[in-house]
Amino acid sequence: MYQTNHPSRNFRRGLLLAGLTFSFLTTALAQELKYTNGNNNWNADSLGNHRAVVSFNGAAGVARVIIPWRRRDEHPELKRIIVEDAKTKQKVTNVKTLTLNREQGDICFEPTSGKGDYYIYYLPSKNEGRDNYPKGVYLAPEQTADNNWLQSIPAGIKPNTTVKQLEAIDSFNTFYPMEVIATEAERKQLLLKHPGGGYMLFPEDRQFPIKMTDDLPQRWIKKGPSQSFSGEADKGEYYAFQLGVYARHEMKDVQISFADLKTTGGQTIPATQLNCINTTGTTYDAKPFSATVNIPEGKVQALWCGIDVPENAAAGIYKGIATIKAAGMPAMPIRITLTVTNKLAVNSGFNEPWKQTRLKWLNSTLAQDDAVIAPYTPLEMKDSVISLLGRKVGIHKDGFPAQIQTFFTPEMTSLSAQPKNIFTEPVHFHFIEAATGKDLRWQSNGWKVTSQTPGKISWKAVNTTAGLEMEVSGTLEFDGFLDYTVKVTALEDVSLKDITMHLPFDKGAAKYMMGLNQKGGVRPEKIDWKWDVKNKNQDGAWIGDVNAGIQFNLRDENYVRPLNTNFYLQKPLLLPTSWGNGDKGGITVGEKGKAILVNNYSGERTLHKGEVLYYNFHLIITPFHPVNTDFQWSTRFYHRYNNLDSIKTTGATVVNIHHGNEINPWINYPFIEWKAMKDYIAEAHQKGLKVKIYNTVRELSNHAWETFPLRSLGHEVYSPGKGGGFSWLQEHVGKDYIAAWFVPEFKDAAIINSGMNRWHNYYVEGMNWLVQNVGIDGIYLDDVAFDRVTMKRVKRVLTKDNHPGIIDLHSANQYNKSDGFINSAVLYMEHFPYLNRLWFGEYFDYEKNNPDFFLTEVSGIPFGLMGEMLQDGGNQWRGMVYGMTNRMPWTATSDPRPIWKVWDDFGMQGTKMIGYWVENNPVKTNNPLVPATIYRKDGAVLVSLASWAPENTTIKLTIDWKALGIDPTKATITAPDIRNFQQGQVFGKDASIPVEKNKGWLLIIK
């Protein structure tokens, strides 16, 4: 619901309800017209969001009205007009439109109740799409008038009906004042009145975001262009304002510069405290940002500027100059006057986002340091070996990995003193001469550390061979992310048969695979893969065992993160110039000698002198940390907004607040109803519950205060697209966007983000604000559209000051056409080091798969994580083999509480999980399609059996009693009675245990 008790909304509502009027001049008439709030007095889903309230005063049977509606939408003549009798609320069928254009509508209708009011709806639409992806279609004109009535319309009938007001369904839908267009006559008159220069300036207050680029607002006709702006700010406030530019002629490379603001007494706000977000700033990864702003002829551009008023600024009137320049055009100064009050702004004004104070966040560098995040440990370097949590990386003299080792036990619950090698020999490149077929030999002087902190170590090596130089820059971070920039420069013309990079995996670290057209499971004997970026979001894979593995990805200097989650095809990968080499590049995987060789090849090419290619890649070393089983048993998510006492009685410990409810109504913008959210969280904390909220980056609610400032940035934050979707988007955003998720109950319509951009800076700052001001205990991520740089920053602010910072990630199965056939775990593995749980997820088939798919793609265990199931409630028998249940209260058919009770009755806290994949698991079955995982403690063990057999079967247990520390002569095997899971019974130690297809058992041995 659109609330009206919010400060900014009161401001907007006040403008409407105060009946502010302005003059419309049309060729037909001049009248005072006002815009008002319709207070949801009609069904917008059938009648649209806008209507004119008209009053008929004539005596004849035909009413004629001219409505100077000044519409921003194109082709009003192609949209239906619906007339309604205000007294009877009945549709008037006898209607004739004379003229419909963007400036006015000339309409005749039958006044069925005689004198009085009538409603004319002029943007009716219907939804032809799905509930959550609406396709708003504007109704076409229809002929409903009776021919006799049409013939009764007097020739030359004059207007006999007045327009009382134009109403929007609510204040959020109003066009007033910034979307009320100027007429063409007014625009021409403006140009005649101000003939000089190639552009005009219209400074505008932050309360009136510039929304249109194709039209001038009528407000600017009344105000006229200006070269001065004044405003008022508190000390410490980030004061935002706009400079609207109307290009009479095309403008290229628009720049804005600022001078110091000074008082007459000599107090100064330095020019460095002023900025324009459209032209300069800081990228999401802390690099300088600059953008080229071009304005086509006849278009409007909003330049959003900000004054970061120092907290210690003296109160007073500050004056200065901003200067706008464009290539080949004279510069134009704007006089800025800012009155600084004696009041100190609270939190820089960030608690009042309707003032656009948070635009400062777009250039934030919060949490950009390399500080180590728990549970990781600082990097340690000794000679050529770098140690990190559970892993070691040896560096060869050429700068590439000589060896990578892991120290995780097969159980994945602890570390071992014995390493497991991932490679059989160093990672290396081959440059093969075209003429001789010989492999060029490289010379290296060794590698040198270029920077070192506890969280990141970087190094560089320069290698040379005949006609080529290869500069290798490597960086290893504390979480196991190993990144390489490989710059190959031709010192002379060189013809090569191939350039390849070899990743020689040890067979013991190459049992499983995901990626390169392979779903998770046992690695095939041979892979022969080619680039297909138009259709497939694939540039690497993960190969490994449960306790040792590598994700590798091949990229060049032009890599841009593509869109994901239904939108990959709209912004796919860019083919790497180096690795792709047209259609010549690819990857093969297969056995070669002692190794499983990943051969990354790019094919034949000639490098000309001075040509540079980047053969960049990164290696993510898995697992990231041991599995925290105790967290899994004790932390139970309740994934729905509900009464807290009801939640408490379920045994859940953490509440996940999705979007689309009264305390978090707007998707990925949890800042409007934050006070209600804060109260809810405070009550939850009193009851011993934690609360996490839905908040991610992929799409953004249209209710965001910053919607139009972000639109002014072109495609930096919002993706280009064909528009459409919910009616609000079509009516106010207009075009060139991708419509995303929609919540009908709240009419919340999201727009797709473009990828990696400065909105991620805002996201990190917003998360910090939510922790500090609302008290959230973490976030629920519904797929992710940012990279590990942002994830690290988010984890830092969520865990600051000992906050729990719990993060769980949900993903729908991305292995499909719309998502580019990428495995969800491959897509998001760079984020896994900072997650506490997985929820994979929608469209994951828990029935028609095998244990290897479950282990690699769903469970999270090979990466140090555990998870939960979703689709159709999951398979609770198979899930327990990996320590997973369904999430409460997602589906009524798979309530996890009976299994939670088993956990509590058995005492799962402190148990040691030994999975079926562990060779020395002391409990095995005689059927590999019915694996067994155990949860062991002193004197007792919980055994989880699950069947992947094609039909009902029976199994026998093979038990190493000595390893369990249990006397077999005194042991019992009991199946506890578990509702909707199994009937209680006792089995003999040598009994044949029946196992139904797709089901299993939980057995207690003690």
Side-chain angles (χ1 to χ4, degrees):
M1 300 291 291
Y2 190 80
Q3 306 295 319
T4 57
N5 60 350
H6 197 282
S8 177
R9 290 174 181 151
N10 282 339
F11 175 84
R12 286 194 249 179
R13 185 169 180 265
L15 289 178
L16 298 169
L17 300 186
L20 295 182
T21 62
F22 48 92
S23 176
F24 282 97
L25 298 176
T26 71
T27 56
L29 75 167
Q31 69 179 68
E32 294 293 322
L33 187 63
K34 63 182 179 180
Y35 277 69
T36 62
N37 180 347
N39 293 313
N40 293 289
N41 285 330
W42 67 88
N43 183 3
D45 291 335
S46 59
L47 295 173
N49 300 310
H50 304 277
R51 73 183 184 185
V53 182
V54 304
S55 180
F56 172 65
N57 297 309
V62 178
R64 182 187 176 194
V65 63
I66 298 177
I67 307 171
W69 47 34
R70 297 173 177 260
R71 292 163 59 169
R72 65 169 294 181
D73 60 304
E74 298 177 350
H75 300 294
E77 73 279 6
L78 300 180
K79 301 181 177 79
R80 184 175 301 177
I81 295 294
I82 297 177
V83 181
E84 184 180 84
D85 188 321
K87 291 181 181 178
T88 66
K89 298 297 188 294
Q90 297 299 308
K91 178 181 177 181
V92 176
T93 58
N94 286 329
V95 178
K96 179 178 177 59
T97 57
L98 303 178
T99 303
L100 301 180
N101 57 44
R102 299 179 70 225
E103 296 180 8
Q104 64 181 30
D106 192 349
I107 302 165
C108 291
F109 64 91
E110 180 185 10
T112 49
S113 292
K115 292 183 179 181
D117 290 349
Y118 295 84
Y119 303 133
I120 299 179
Y121 299 91
Y122 52 90
L123 278 169
S125 64
K126 65 177 179 178
N127 174 36
E128 294 185 353
R130 293 176 289 161
D131 286 347
N132 297 119
Y133 285 97
K135 183 181 179 182
V137 176
Y138 288 92
L139 304 181
E142 63 175 352
Q143 176 61 46
T144 60
D146 178 79
N147 283 331
N148 291 331
W149 179 83
L150 289 172
Q151 293 174 6
S152 73
I153 299 175
I157 182 175
K158 294 183 178 180
N160 55 11
T161 304
T162 58
V163 181
K164 295 176 67 174
Q165 61 203 35
L166 297 183
E167 287 186 340
I169 186 67
D170 58 27
S171 58
F172 186 66
N173 277 274
T174 186
F175 291 130
Y176 177 75
M178 296 306 294
E179 297 170 272
V180 177
I181 70 168
T183 66
E184 180 61 16
E186 290 168 344
R187 188 188 71 85
K188 290 180 178 178
Q189 187 178 18
L190 180 73
L191 296 178
L192 289 173
K193 188 176 179 180
H194 304 278
Y199 57 99
M200 298 181 189
L201 298 181
F202 296 90
E204 188 59 82
D205 188 86
R206 61 194 177 185
Q207 294 280 11
F208 302 103
I210 297 169
K211 300 179 179 180
M212 300 186 297
T213 59
D214 295 332
D215 291 283
L216 292 171
Q218 193 247 3
R219 170 182 168 89
W220 286 2
I221 300 297
K222 294 183 65 177
K223 290 174 55 178
S226 175
Q227 290 180 240
S228 64
F229 177 81
S230 62
E232 181 179 287
D234 297 330
K235 298 178 182 181
E237 179 181 346
Y238 182 80
Y239 181 84
F241 64 98
Q242 307 164 86
L243 297 176
V245 182
Y246 174 62
R248 300 171 66 116
H249 306 292
E250 182 183 19
M251 301 175 68
K252 293 185 176 181
D253 193 19
V254 178
Q255 300 286 337
I256 183 167
S257 59
F258 301 95
D260 295 346
L261 302 181
K262 297 181 179 180
T263 67
T264 55
Q267 301 293 328
T268 300
I269 298 177
T272 53
Q273 298 293 106
L274 285 77
N275 77 309
C276 174
I277 64 170
N278 300 82
T279 57
T280 58
T282 304
T283 65
Y284 81 96
D285 53 354
K287 297 174 183 174
F289 169 86
S290 63
T292 300
V293 177
N294 299 320
I295 310 175
E297 180 178 350
K299 302 296 183 180
V300 173
Q301 171 68 50
L303 298 176
W304 277 90
C305 304
I307 304 172
D308 200 3
V309 181
E311 288 188 3
N312 61 356
I317 299 174
Y318 291 77
K319 296 183 178 182
I321 298 292
T323 304
I324 289 184
K325 300 177 184 178
M329 291 183 173
M332 192 177 294
I334 303 101
R335 297 181 299 278
I336 297 175
T337 302
L338 182 70
T339 300
V340 176
T341 72
N342 266 316
K343 182 182 176 183
L344 180 64
V346 176
N347 197 16
S348 298
F350 298 149
N351 295 1
E352 300 176 293
W354 52 91
K355 293 182 178 180
Q356 305 296 351
T357 48
R358 295 182 181 182
L359 291 179
K360 180 181 177 180
W361 288 356
L362 291 176
N363 295 318
S364 170
T365 58
L366 180 65
Q368 284 285 14
D369 56 84
D370 294 326
V372 177
I373 300 170
Y376 301 100
T377 54
L379 296 171
E380 296 180 2
M381 187 169 64
K382 184 177 181 181
D383 299 326
S384 61
V385 176
I386 304 173
S387 299
L388 60 157
L389 178 64
R391 291 151 289 178
K392 286 186 177 181
V393 178
I395 310 299
H396 195 259
K397 65 178 182 179
D398 58 11
F400 296 118
Q403 181 58 273
I404 296 177
Q405 297 175 321
T406 66
F407 292 80
F408 298 92
T409 62
E411 293 87 344
M412 274 303 298
T413 54
S414 60
L415 299 178
S416 168
Q418 297 300 315
K420 183 168 184 174
N421 291 340
I422 290 181
F423 295 132
T424 59
E425 60 177 322
V427 174
H428 55 276
F429 274 76
H430 292 285
F431 287 71
I432 302 172
E433 288 184 307
T436 65
K438 292 182 178 180
D439 193 356
L440 293 174
R441 295 190 176 277
W442 292 85
Q443 299 294 323
S444 176
N445 294 323
W447 57 282
K448 294 182 179 179
V449 173
T450 55
S451 66
Q452 183 172 353
T453 67
K456 181 190 291 185
I457 296 177
S458 299
W459 61 92
K460 182 174 288 187
V462 177
N463 306 291
T464 57
T465 190
L468 295 171
E469 178 183 87
M470 180 167 59
E471 183 179 289
V472 178
S473 299
T475 296
L476 177 63
E477 297 189 44
F478 60 85
D479 59 359
F481 184 83
L482 181 54
D483 189 53
Y484 276 98
T485 299
V486 182
K487 180 182 179 182
V488 177
T489 304
L491 305 179
E492 57 187 60
D493 290 355
V494 179
S495 293
L496 298 167
K497 183 178 180 181
D498 204 353
I499 300 176
T500 70
M501 179 184 70
H502 284 178
L503 299 174
F505 279 82
D506 187 288
K507 293 178 181 178
K511 181 177 180 179
Y512 303 107
M513 179 176 177
M514 287 186 290
L516 305 182
N517 297 329
Q518 303 299 313
K519 292 185 178 181
V522 173
R523 174 188 47 78
E525 288 186 14
K526 292 184 179 180
I527 297 288
D528 189 355
W529 174 89
K530 298 286 290 184
W531 291 91
D532 181 15
V533 295
K534 290 183 179 180
N535 301 296
K536 294 178 179 177
N537 186 8
Q538 298 176 3
D539 62 4
W542 173 81
I543 294 177
D545 199 353
V546 176
N547 60 340
I550 292 284
Q551 182 189 19
F552 61 93
N553 296 85
L554 310 180
R555 295 171 181 176
D556 68 5
E557 78 280 16
N558 298 313
Y559 173 79
V560 176
R561 195 180 194 277
L563 295 181
N564 60 284
T565 315
N566 301 326
F567 299 104
Y568 173 75
L569 298 178
Q570 299 190 48
K571 186 183 177 183
L573 282 167
L574 301 174
L575 181 69
T577 303
S578 54
W579 295 109
N581 192 16
D583 61 353
K584 297 177 183 178
I587 301 173
T588 61
V589 181
E591 185 174 353
K592 185 176 182 181
K594 297 180 180 180
I596 300 300
L597 181 64
V598 177
N599 176 40
N600 307 281
Y601 65 92
S602 60
E604 185 176 5
R605 72 193 321 150
T606 296
L607 293 176
H608 298 287
K609 183 177 180 180
E611 188 175 352
V612 174
L613 290 174
Y614 284 88
Y615 282 87
N616 301 344
F617 64 96
H618 65 241
L619 308 176
I620 302 178
I621 311 167
T622 65
F624 300 108
H625 50 67
V627 169
N628 186 348
T629 54
D630 279 352
F631 178 88
Q632 184 79 350
W633 316 139
S634 63
T635 308
R636 302 170 186 180
F637 291 161
Y638 186 98
H639 198 89
R640 187 172 297 167
Y641 172 66
N642 203 347
N643 175 271
L644 288 166
D645 287 326
S646 298
I647 294 173
K648 182 75 173 177
T649 62
T650 69
T653 62
V654 178
V655 188
N656 271 11
I657 302 298
H658 211 276
H659 70 92
N661 54 70
E662 60 189 75
I663 68 170
N664 193 18
W666 318 117
I667 188 168
N668 297 329
Y669 200 77
F671 304 116
I672 294 177
E673 304 301 337
W674 67 273
K675 290 183 179 178
M677 182 185 291
K678 180 177 182 179
D679 291 343
Y680 184 88
I681 292 174
E683 183 184 352
H685 288 169
Q686 290 176 355
K687 297 178 185 299
L689 298 171
K690 292 182 172 62
V691 179
K692 298 163 52 262
I693 67 166
Y694 184 113
N695 188 27
T696 186
V697 169
R698 182 184 65 216
E699 57 214 317
L700 178 62
S701 169
N702 61 324
H703 286 75
W705 296 110
E706 298 83 3
T707 296
F708 292 100
L710 297 180
R711 283 282 289 176
S712 80
L713 301 177
H715 295 142
E716 183 195 348
V717 173
Y718 291 126
S719 286
K722 61 182 180 180
F726 183 55
S727 58
W728 189 96
L729 298 177
Q730 298 190 55
E731 291 165 16
H732 298 276
V733 181
K735 54 189 176 183
D736 194 23
Y737 61 90
I738 300 175
W741 190 258
F742 176 72
V743 179
E745 296 87 345
F746 291 90
K747 296 188 184 302
D748 182 36
I751 311 173
I752 286 292
N753 296 149
S754 65
M756 309 309 299
N757 58 69
R758 288 182 293 163
W759 184 247
H760 298 184
N761 292 332
Y762 186 107
Y763 178 64
V764 173
E765 284 277 4
M767 208 72 76
N768 183 64
W769 188 89
L770 289 164
V771 172
Q772 303 301 322
N773 294 275
V774 182
I776 65 170
D777 296 299
I779 54 170
Y780 161 68
L781 294 174
D782 183 2
D783 284 304
V784 178
F786 52 81
D787 72 359
R788 62 187 304 279
V789 173
T790 301
M791 179 62 88
K792 286 187 296 181
R793 298 173 67 192
V794 166
K795 191 69 171 183
R796 288 188 178 107
V797 299
L798 287 179
T799 55
K800 183 180 177 183
D801 301 327
N802 295 316
H803 284 87
I806 304 169
I807 303 178
D808 71 298
L809 170 64
H810 160 69
S811 177
N813 195 333
Q814 310 261 317
Y815 199 84
N816 58 68
K817 180 179 179 181
S818 296
D819 297 314
F821 295 99
I822 188 168
N823 320 72
S824 294
V826 170
L827 177 63
Y828 296 131
M829 199 172 297
E830 63 179 338
H831 301 299
F832 284 10
Y834 307 101
L835 303 180
N836 299 90
R837 184 171 293 175
L838 295 178
W839 199 21
F840 284 9
E842 288 169 282
Y843 315 123
F844 280 87
D845 191 339
Y846 302 113
E847 301 292 335
K848 298 177 182 178
N849 59 45
N850 57 50
D852 303 317
F853 173 85
F854 230 116
L855 176 65
T856 55
E857 286 234 29
V858 179
S859 77
I861 288 170
F863 315 105
L865 292 170
M866 297 183 77
E868 290 172 304
M869 299 174 291
L870 188 154
Q871 187 68 43
D872 301 322
N875 181 306
Q876 56 185 338
W877 297 275
R878 293 177 178 178
M880 263 307 296
V881 175
Y882 308 94
M884 300 194 300
T885 66
N886 184 48
R887 179 169 293 187
M888 185 79 192
W890 201 252
T891 56
T893 58
S894 55
D895 187 343
R897 285 177 291 182
I899 297 179
W900 289 354
K901 185 177 186 302
V902 174
W903 290 359
D904 293 338
D905 291 345
F906 179 73
M908 289 288 274
Q909 290 293 113
T911 60
K912 182 177 182 180
M913 178 180 180
I914 305 177
Y916 68 84
W917 55 88
V918 179
E919 187 176 349
N920 61 357
N921 187 335
V923 180
K924 291 182 169 65
T925 78
N926 62 346
N927 186 341
L929 294 178
V930 187
T933 290
I934 71 169
Y935 305 94
R936 176 186 170 188
K937 64 179 182 179
D938 288 344
V941 61
L942 179 67
V943 181
S944 174
L945 306 174
S947 177
W948 276 267
E951 55 193 19
N952 294 346
T953 187
T954 59
I955 61 97
K956 285 193 172 184
L957 298 178
T958 301
I959 302 173
D960 186 339
W961 296 102
K962 183 177 181 181
L964 290 180
I966 296 176
D967 184 348
T969 64
K970 301 178 181 179
T972 60
I973 302 178
T974 305
D977 193 63
I978 306 174
R979 180 168 55 88
N980 297 327
F981 189 95
Q982 66 188 25
Q983 287 188 338
Q985 56 186 293
V986 177
F987 292 104
K989 290 184 284 295
D990 299 317
S992 293
I993 300 174
V995 184
E996 292 184 47
K997 178 183 176 182
N998 293 345
K999 293 186 177 182
W1001 291 94
L1002 282 176
L1003 307 173
I1004 296 176
I1005 303 174
K1006 63 179 180 180

